[in-house]
Amino acid sequence: MTAKLRIGLLVSIILNLFLAGALGAGYASLRTDTRMLNAGSLRIAGAELSAADRRPFRRALRQARRAMRPTIAVSRKAKAEAAALLRRDPVDQAAVLAALDRARTADMAVRAAVERRAVAFAADLPVADRAKLADAVERRAGRVRPGRE
């Protein structure tokens, strides 16, 4: 075998192993349903609950978020409007800020609804489970990202 062929074969094997690993990890991630993109503190804190309580807790949060879909749409529309306004020349700062204010108000309404549902769910949990949830929320609240103070 020539040196170029060996190098090509080695690179091919490495890339195939990487691809197989990525596909396996993606499949495992989808199967375990542990996606937490855009998860708030309470949802992450819910990971401390037992498996029997964790699923209903997350389901309750999803239902609350689903009920807020129109408000989420308002937020997205306001953010898109703010982006469009920023592209204009000259920039109308008041209009951009007004659009961002509408987006923030909608985002806070969604967060409040999800938090209300989480607290209602937690109120029915045993004291020990509520303590786990509270500890996780405290840890999350006290966490500082590296490089930020």
Side-chain angles (χ1 to χ4, degrees):
M1 261 189 209
T2 66
K4 286 185 179 182
L5 189 56
R6 285 183 185 170
I7 291 172
L9 184 60
L10 182 63
V11 169
S12 176
I13 290 170
I14 290 171
L15 287 175
N16 282 320
L17 287 174
F18 177 75
L19 179 61
L23 289 174
Y27 177 75
S29 174
L30 291 174
R31 294 279 299 163
T32 58
D33 194 32
T34 57
R35 295 168 287 147
M36 286 195 183
L37 294 177
N38 299 324
S41 293
L42 287 171
R43 175 149 183 185
I44 292 170
E48 300 292 324
L49 296 173
S50 68
D53 290 329
R54 191 178 318 126
R55 282 189 184 274
F57 179 72
R58 289 185 178 163
R59 188 177 317 115
L61 297 186
R62 275 194 306 273
Q63 288 170 347
R65 194 165 162 78
R66 203 172 289 129
M68 295 299 290
R69 278 185 180 160
T71 307
I72 292 169
V74 167
S75 172
R76 287 180 180 158
K77 183 178 178 186
K79 289 173 187 174
E81 181 183 336
L85 289 167
L86 278 172
R87 287 186 180 96
R88 290 187 184 165
D89 194 27
V91 174
D92 182 353
Q93 293 181 26
V96 173
L97 290 173
L100 291 174
D101 284 343
R102 286 193 310 277
R104 185 179 322 102
T105 300
D107 289 344
M108 292 306 295
V110 171
R111 178 179 175 175
V114 171
E115 287 174 347
R116 279 192 296 274
R117 184 63 186 105
V119 170
F121 184 91
D124 293 333
L125 292 173
V127 174
D129 288 342
R130 286 197 315 266
K132 286 180 190 176
L133 219 81
D135 291 343
V137 169
E138 273 183 336
R139 279 193 309 274
R140 180 111 172 119
R143 190 179 83 191
V144 177
R145 290 184 180 161
R148 295 186 183 187
E149 293 181 20

